[in-house]
Amino acid sequence: MTNHWIDIRNSDVILVMGSNAAENHPISFRYVLEARERGAKLLSVDPRFTRTSARADVYAPLRSGTDIAFLGGMINYILENGLYHREYLRLHTNATFLVDPRFRMPGELDGLFSGYNAETRSYDKSTWGFQRDENGVPRTDPEMEDPNCVFQLLKKHFSRYTLEVVSDITGTPVKKLEQIYRIYGSTGRPGRAATIMYAMGWTQHTVGTQNIRTMAIIQLLLGNIGVAGGGVNALRGESNVQGSTDHCLLFHILPGYLPTPKASLKDLATYIAKTTPTTGDPQSANWWGNRGKYITSLLRAHFDTSLTAADEFGYQLLPKLDDGQNASWLMLFDRMIRGQIKGFFAWGQNPACSGSNANKVRRALARLDWMVVVNLFDNETASFWKGPGMDPARIDTEVFFLPVAASFEKEGSVTNSGRWAQWRYQAVEPLGDSRHDSEIMNELYFRVRQRYAAEGGAFPDPILKLSWNYGFRMPDGRVRKIDIHAVAREINGYFLRDKVVKGKSFKKGDLVPSFAYLQDDGSTSSGNWLYCQSYNGNGNNMARRSHRDPSGIGLYPEWAWCWPVNRRILYNRASVNADGVPWDRKRPVIWWTGTRWEGDVPDGGWKPLSQPGSKKSFIMLPDGVASIFGAKMKEGPFPEHYEPLESPIEANPLSGTRNNPAMKLFHEGKDRLPEDVFYTSDKRYPFVATTYRVTEHWQTGVMSRNTPWLLEMQPQLFVELSPELARERGIGDGEKVRVSSGRGSVEAIAIVTRRFRPFRIRGKTIHQVGLPWCFGWSTPNAGDSANLLTPTIGDANTMIPETKAFMVNVEKLG
Ligand SMILES: Nc1nc2c(c(=O)[nH]1)N[C@H]1C(S)=C(S)[C@@H](COP(=O)(O)OP(=O)(O)OC[C@H]3O[C@@H](n4cnc5c(=O)[nH]c(N)nc54)[C@H](O)[C@@H]3O)O[C@H]1N2
Ligand SMILES: Nc1nc2c(c(=O)[nH]1)N[C@H]1C(S)=C(S)[C@@H](COP(=O)(O)OP(=O)(O)OC[C@H]3O[C@@H](n4cnc5c(=O)[nH]c(N)nc54)[C@H](O)[C@@H]3O)O[C@H]1N2
Ligand SMILES: [Mo]
């Protein structure tokens, strides 16, 4: 989230689209309802009428996978009706920038941007740049009238998204579109704010990243980023998924969003030179210019501090990706099924049910030599070898199961969606032989280290030179018990020798006060620069529990701690005009007193934009302003509607380019697998399907299916379908049906409900159905995972699987 949970109460308009917050983020609804009591409007856009929709002022249905069309129509509406915040655009975004005149857009190139290469399915982005002066600073037209300026290009691009065209793609009635556009567009006026609450309904698509980009453009047009009650707010999933992303859950980033080294970045100097952005603009803070300090401090935390600059502080000990290598979820199981991955730790996950195309995942597990499952319970992954369709006699995978302690049996920090790192305490002792995850890792580290120390091996140094200072060492070198506070302090970082920084002297062993003090000479360590300040000379800031709120807008600056540097609302320098005066005087986030900023921690302490020595407000981007034109995206600098890989219509109504042209295809080429089949506008699979969660179960249900009262409330797999479709197929409410796709099938109970309505699209009736994905075969009579139906295909930028839009058939069972 750019903002945070409590801040939702400051909104005037709340759009819940691509999430079902009432059921999946129930605590958030406290703030949604508070806002509504103040007169805020709640809008719900979902293919299915949900409990969120039930509370909404306006509900609009849309066909799964058509959000860019829906939101593209909103951009067009905002521009046509002059609802945008002109001054905000000029000060804080690249709307005024002039684009390369060679740049071409989908309206001219039948759905493609200039530079497409069909063979590599990728773009040569050389025409996607800005016109720049001799210092490399983008040329602008402050009046935003030049036909090559971003604002005019945006207007031209989205002029194709008329109400009629949008309705024809999404199936949403024109009246509903207009109603939602009008209400949301009303927040372009200074003093009004709208927020977006989204989650997996937007991300799990082949165009997932661009769904969110489209919304970010809307928020910028309306001046809604940086202000209270605004922002682009991803409602994160698992309680600590924000923390795990911050600390490098994903393959392509190290802690603190530093890029993972690649083979071609052959030494630390090259890594820093090639990954550090530069700017010629004296008004750009270009904060990532500090990359060298952050990566060096990270290496100092990872590895033995006896390593020196001559050893590149251990850079060569970090794992490196091959150039162009993608090691995301879909690729892991793809490589596994091809026999290229032999061992696997399934640590706190259940891929046999959560993985898209679960039959492929399950067959991949059967190709392993060994698998270690670290979990609270046995599940469909640990026992895959005795699951449906498996012959244990023919499976050689050796499975080890390590029982783990549950969250309330452990101490540590959890970072919520609002970036707040909050400290939690252990409530009870772990049951039986189960242990804290960190104790299991400690034991694993010690055993592996012992073998490397004794036997050498191909490359022992990454293990032998790892620093592991997490507690009292026994005579054999083993850490007796992991001190989780030592881990937290390592993440914050230390001074490794006496040092004077910014006129302050520090002693070796002092905790670094905040990331502004980190160094690139090896004198500081920090396991994650973004968390530098979380645990410093003031103690464990994540454990703070003060209810003080001097802001009056719910910032609560002394409750826990949030990254970066306790800033509660990101991009807050965009909440003020060039003189530092808040756009919204009722709910100011920061303001300039004439000598300093007050309010939230400002996004950089420089003076307001109208004063000399100031810096632009989007400090993480080298041009210093927010990207309405975003050339980093794989499929184009502006979002464009493409159909999901599997869709019910033959052609993309907007162009001859049917699907995302930059996504990786698994179903083409000579080495494609039989598991990777797709059927689009095919009579055998005529219905759009989506998957979602239920309040009563958690994820694949491993924890909740083992809780009898929750299982009693939601005992088995169901499929929701409209009365119209039920009649067409002769299916009665509560009857057993088979739902099938090209990849597999499940048996489910039919719930005939008006929560789903047929769509009228291009003159045809199109039905959509939906299933939860929380069940698995190991719970008797519960049915199996809906992921037996979903495809192996991912977003072009992130490779998140497209589990929210695919095609199925539904048939009544005997
Ligand atoms: N009770 C409970 N709460 C949970 C979880 C749980 O398992 N159970 N899981 C947690 C986790 S890890 C996560 S990531 C979050 C996920 O939170 P959400 O994203 O809210 O979860 P979902 O129910 O998967 O999907 C949300 C909605 O997207 C809709 N949808 C489907 N396709 C589309 C589409 O194309 N466009 C739009 N606009 N909407 C679409 C679905 O109908 C559904 O209502 O929930 C978290 N909270
Ligand atoms: N079709 C479809 N598929 C989806 C989604 C969807 O919307 N639709 N959503 C996707 C999303 S957003 C997510 S996050 C994934 C989730 O996918 P997974 O992470 O694979 O699924 P979970 O069921 O959350 O698995 C977590 C496991 O961790 C165990 N566990 C709980 N606490 C601890 C602990 O403290 N330590 C350890 N070691 N284990 C613990 C639980 O028992 C559980 O088995 O699924 C994805 N799959
Ligand atoms: Mo999630």
Side-chain angles (χ1 to χ4, degrees):
M1 289 170 101
T2 57
N3 295 38
H4 58 99
W5 293 111
I6 296 173
D7 182 61
I8 294 168
R9 73 175 196 214
N10 293 317
S11 302
D12 298 303
V13 178
I14 300 165
L15 173 62
V16 183
M17 183 167 176
S19 92
N20 174 16
E23 289 174 76
N24 301 324
H25 297 90
I27 302 297
S28 74
F29 244 62
R30 177 177 159 189
Y31 305 107
V32 172
L33 297 179
E34 257 182 60
R36 277 201 78 214
E37 278 166 26
R38 260 198 324 100
K41 291 272 182 277
L42 175 63
L43 313 173
S44 159
V45 183
D46 194 300
R48 171 180 67 117
F49 188 88
T50 66
R51 283 173 177 154
T52 303
S53 319
R55 287 293 199 141
D57 296 278
V58 185
Y59 164 71
L62 91 171
R63 169 169 67 98
S64 260
T66 62
D67 294 77
I68 291 178
F70 191 106
L71 297 173
M74 179 158 2
I75 293 180
N76 188 35
Y77 185 92
I78 290 168
L79 293 171
E80 294 250 297
N81 293 289
L83 301 176
Y84 50 93
H85 189 335
R86 189 179 164 82
E87 193 53 23
Y88 184 101
L89 283 178
R90 287 161 38 134
L91 279 179
H92 300 305
T93 76
N94 64 16
T96 57
F97 287 22
L98 300 183
V99 175
D100 188 324
R102 295 171 303 163
F103 174 66
R104 290 287 171 276
M105 299 195 290
E108 299 155 282
L109 299 180
D110 201 20
L112 296 168
F113 291 89
S114 42
Y116 188 63
N117 179 333
E119 241 157 67
T120 58
R121 299 187 53 78
S122 65
Y123 279 98
D124 164 5
K125 298 183 180 178
S126 55
T127 59
W128 300 7
F130 296 124
Q131 303 175 31
R132 291 181 185 269
D133 70 13
E134 54 292 350
N135 298 319
V137 180
R139 294 185 198 279
T140 61
D141 172 16
E143 294 312 314
M144 304 194 296
E145 279 161 7
D146 187 303
N148 280 319
C149 82
V150 167
F151 184 76
Q152 291 300 333
L153 291 172
L154 183 81
K155 224 170 164 173
K156 184 168 159 193
H157 177 62
F158 284 106
S159 65
R160 296 153 60 233
Y161 291 68
T162 59
L163 290 166
E164 291 67 31
V165 166
V166 170
S167 174
D168 209 25
I169 296 173
T170 59
T172 314
V174 165
K175 269 215 170 106
K176 287 273 182 191
L177 291 173
E178 271 187 308
Q179 205 180 356
I180 287 193
Y181 294 172
R182 192 181 61 247
I183 295 173
Y184 205 85
S186 75
T187 63
R189 284 203 310 275
R192 273 176 72 73
T195 190
I196 166 68
M197 298 168 68
Y198 79 88
M200 295 302 123
W202 268 1
T203 54
Q204 293 172 353
H205 293 280
T206 44
V207 294
T209 316
Q210 293 281 18
N211 279 334
I212 291 128
R213 273 272 304 145
T214 323
M215 195 66 216
I217 292 174
I218 291 173
Q219 289 297 66
L220 290 169
L221 285 173
L222 298 172
N224 277 333
I225 288 185
V227 302
V232 174
N233 293 305
L235 316 183
R236 311 277 339 234
E238 304 259 10
S239 57
N240 196 25
V241 68
Q242 182 63 53
S244 60
T245 327
D246 300 341
H247 292 306
C248 90
L249 170 83
L250 303 170
F251 79 94
H252 67 298
I253 43 183
L254 297 173
Y257 304 92
L258 302 170
T260 304
K262 294 186 292 189
S264 61
L265 302 172
K266 57 184 192 323
D267 50 36
L268 179 58
T270 312
Y271 173 92
I272 294 173
K274 289 269 167 71
T275 67
T276 305
T278 55
T279 177
D281 185 348
Q283 271 217 52
S284 165
N286 189 28
W287 199 264
W288 275 124
N290 292 307
R291 178 97 74 208
K293 297 175 185 169
Y294 303 155
I295 181 73
T296 307
S297 297
L298 178 74
L299 290 167
R300 299 303 272 156
H302 269 12
F303 299 114
D304 200 324
T305 47
S306 66
L307 295 171
T308 64
D311 307 314
E312 301 169 67
F313 302 117
Y315 175 77
Q316 301 302 345
L317 308 181
L318 286 176
K320 297 185 183 61
L321 291 165
D322 289 337
D323 286 56
Q325 183 184 351
N326 186 302
S328 63
W329 180 272
L330 290 177
M331 292 311 296
L332 291 184
F333 293 96
D334 198 70
R335 289 188 63 195
M336 204 182 282
I337 201 170
R338 293 173 197 275
Q340 295 161 1
I341 291 180
K342 289 296 183 189
F344 176 49
F345 275 89
W347 201 308
Q349 51 174 252
N350 186 19
C353 286
S354 64
S356 198
N357 201 350
N359 274 322
K360 179 176 176 182
V361 172
R362 293 172 186 185
R363 278 174 216 148
L365 299 177
R367 299 289 316 270
L368 291 167
D369 291 345
W370 56 265
M371 171 168 67
V372 180
V373 175
V374 187
N375 208 302
L376 309 177
F377 298 104
D378 183 16
N379 59 26
E380 290 78 7
T381 300
S383 287
F384 79 93
W385 49 274
K386 56 181 174 187
M390 292 284 169
D391 176 2
R394 303 180 62 166
I395 295 172
D396 291 333
T397 313
E398 192 176 357
V399 181
F400 303 86
F401 185 88
L402 304 178
V404 77
S407 57
F408 40 84
E409 295 165 341
K410 299 178 285 202
E411 184 176 3
S413 76
V414 169
T415 304
N416 75 7
S417 305
R419 298 165 284 104
W420 293 14
Q422 308 189 80
W423 199 257
R424 287 185 181 176
Y425 301 91
Q426 179 181 351
V428 289
E429 285 301 317
L431 277 183
D433 283 339
S434 63
R435 296 209 207 158
H436 197 304
D437 293 83
S438 67
E439 293 301 337
I440 296 174
M441 269 175 238
N442 187 31
E443 189 70 23
L444 183 68
Y445 165 73
F446 177 73
R447 303 275 183 110
V448 172
R449 187 180 201 287
Q450 227 179 6
R451 284 198 60 185
Y452 271 116
E455 299 165 30
F459 188 27
D461 279 4
I463 297 292
L464 297 182
K465 298 201 167 140
L466 207 59
S467 71
W468 200 266
N469 304 314
Y470 306 128
F472 177 77
R473 274 188 197 277
M474 319 242 270
D476 61 2
R478 190 187 300 236
V479 169
R480 194 178 54 193
K481 186 177 182 317
I482 294 281
D483 174 5
I484 212 72
H485 290 264
V487 177
R489 284 191 294 262
E490 180 184 73
I491 288 171
N492 179 84
Y494 293 101
F495 281 94
L496 302 177
R497 55 173 189 258
D498 294 358
K499 177 102 187 164
V500 178
V501 186
K502 298 177 192 284
K504 282 193 192 162
S505 27
F506 297 94
K507 288 261 163 289
K508 176 178 174 177
D510 284 353
L511 288 158
V512 180
S514 82
F515 57 61
Y517 293 86
L518 293 175
Q519 302 295 310
D520 58 8
D521 60 1
S523 61
T524 56
S525 71
S526 178
N528 187 335
W529 72 275
L530 267 180
Y531 280 74
C532 189
Q533 196 187 62
S534 59
Y535 204 128
N536 59 12
N538 300 333
N540 181 358
N541 295 318
M542 298 174 281
R544 295 185 302 179
R545 290 294 180 269
S546 162
H547 290 223
R548 244 169 48 81
D549 179 29
S551 68
I553 57 166
L555 298 180
Y556 296 102
E558 292 157 17
W559 176 275
W561 175 88
C562 96
W563 66 258
V565 287
N566 210 33
R567 180 174 304 132
R568 303 283 158 149
I569 297 186
L570 293 181
Y571 312 116
N572 55 27
R573 301 235 326 178
S575 72
V576 296
N577 68 14
D579 297 323
V581 178
W583 304 115
D584 184 347
R585 296 182 189 216
K586 294 191 308 287
R587 292 163 296 199
V589 181
I590 58 166
W591 59 97
W592 181 250
T593 63
T595 46
R596 65 194 145 84
W597 292 103
E598 285 203 351
D600 195 9
V601 178
D603 223 332
W606 305 279
K607 293 174 184 175
L609 283 170
S610 61
Q611 300 191 25
S614 178
K615 302 276 183 198
K616 291 179 178 165
S617 42
F618 285 77
I619 64 174
M620 303 311 282
L621 293 170
D623 289 325
V625 289
S627 305
I628 286 188
F629 187 89
K632 275 196 183 160
M633 295 291 112
K634 290 248 162 76
E635 59 281 88
F638 291 135
E640 165 79 349
H641 167 74
Y642 300 110
E643 286 291 316
L645 181 66
E646 285 190 334
S647 94
I649 55 178
E650 298 277 347
N652 180 350
L654 263 174
S655 76
T657 307
R658 182 193 169 89
N659 302 122
N660 185 336
M663 69 194 180
K664 176 179 164 48
L665 297 179
F666 287 82
H667 61 298
E668 284 187 352
K670 58 181 183 331
D671 61 348
R672 93 188 146 82
L673 300 164
E675 284 80 5
D676 289 328
V677 285
F678 298 88
Y679 295 93
T680 200
S681 55
D682 186 300
K683 283 202 184 71
R684 282 169 292 179
Y685 303 105
F687 310 128
V688 180
T690 195
T691 58
Y692 40 79
R693 292 156 167 81
V694 295
T695 312
E696 297 79 0
H697 285 291
W698 185 252
Q699 305 285 78
T700 62
V702 176
M703 293 191 289
S704 47
R705 283 188 268 127
N706 282 306
T707 308
W709 53 94
L710 293 174
L711 187 64
E712 193 177 333
M713 285 199 279
Q714 285 286 4
Q716 67 198 125
L717 182 66
F718 57 82
V719 55
E720 292 182 81
L721 64 159
S722 69
E724 290 83 352
L725 175 56
R727 213 172 304 126
E728 212 177 275
R729 286 288 165 126
I731 297 167
D733 190 26
E735 286 183 345
K736 255 195 174 167
V737 295
R738 179 185 305 285
V739 184
S740 49
S741 79
R743 275 91 32 203
S745 73
V746 289
E747 286 182 20
I749 299 296
I751 297 186
V752 179
T753 167
R754 290 173 54 83
R755 287 190 290 267
F756 273 108
R757 313 305 339 258
F759 293 105
R760 281 303 284 179
I761 288 164
R762 318 220 84 191
K764 273 187 7 192
T765 297
I766 294 203
H767 293 287
Q768 176 159 357
V769 303
L771 312 84
W773 58 281
C774 51
F775 295 103
W777 58 264
S778 74
T779 302
N781 306 318
D784 211 337
S785 171
N787 274 319
L788 293 171
L789 307 172
T790 53
T792 305
I793 192 73
D795 171 83
N797 296 279
T798 64
M799 295 269 283
I800 191 173
E802 189 158 63
T803 40
K804 286 287 188 269
F806 52 97
M807 299 301 292
V808 298
N809 191 19
V810 184
E811 300 155 290
K812 186 167 165 165
L813 273 181

